[in-house]
Amino acid sequence: MHTYTMHDSKGQPFGAPVPYTPIIFLCGTTTHRLALHREAGAAPAAYREWAVSHPIIGAKVCRVTGTVKGLPCSSKGLNSKQARAAAMAQLEALCERIGSEKFNATIKQVQP
């Protein structure tokens, strides 16, 4: 199982290591290896939302939401396969909305 430690806005690590599933995302011509994981919290894993983060810099890229009949809903009821599909759709939408150049530049800017 892969793990990483989340970082705050100043780049300082906080909290316990988070287990994640690696996902590969292609934005423009750049490939990113991102982490699909349950958000940290006191609740059991089955009751926490899914999120996508960058495992090297520890920053959250987006929160994953599910859909029921086309309406957004919580992702906490999704299994890992469903969460991966929803995450990929949201990453595609994010990349299209802000543009691949800005997406790639933002991640490159904060990498150590």
Side-chain angles (χ1 to χ4, degrees):
M1 175 73 61
H2 302 281
T3 61
Y4 83 99
T5 303
M6 295 183 75
H7 291 70
D8 63 14
S9 60
K10 297 176 183 165
Q12 299 300 316
F14 69 91
V18 177
Y20 73 91
T21 302
I23 57 174
I24 305 297
F25 176 65
L26 180 67
C27 185
T29 58
T30 307
T31 302
H32 300 279
R33 183 172 184 232
L34 301 173
L36 175 65
H37 61 92
R38 297 267 188 182
E39 290 187 331
Y47 297 105
R48 295 192 309 247
E49 299 280 336
W50 288 93
V52 175
S53 299
H54 195 287
I56 307 278
I57 58 178
K60 188 187 300 183
V61 176
C62 70
R63 174 181 272 170
V64 178
T65 56
T67 56
V68 174
K69 297 183 181 181
L71 298 173
C73 66
S74 170
S75 65
K76 61 185 164 186
L78 302 178
N79 63 34
S80 60
K81 186 176 181 180
Q82 294 167 327
R84 185 186 185 287
M88 293 301 283
Q90 285 189 263
L91 288 168
E92 291 283 341
L94 176 63
C95 193
E96 188 174 310
R97 186 173 68 242
I98 67 172
S100 60
E101 295 84 16
K102 183 173 181 181
F103 184 90
N104 295 329
T106 302
I107 289 180
K108 186 176 181 180
Q109 173 185 351
V110 293
Q111 278 186 338

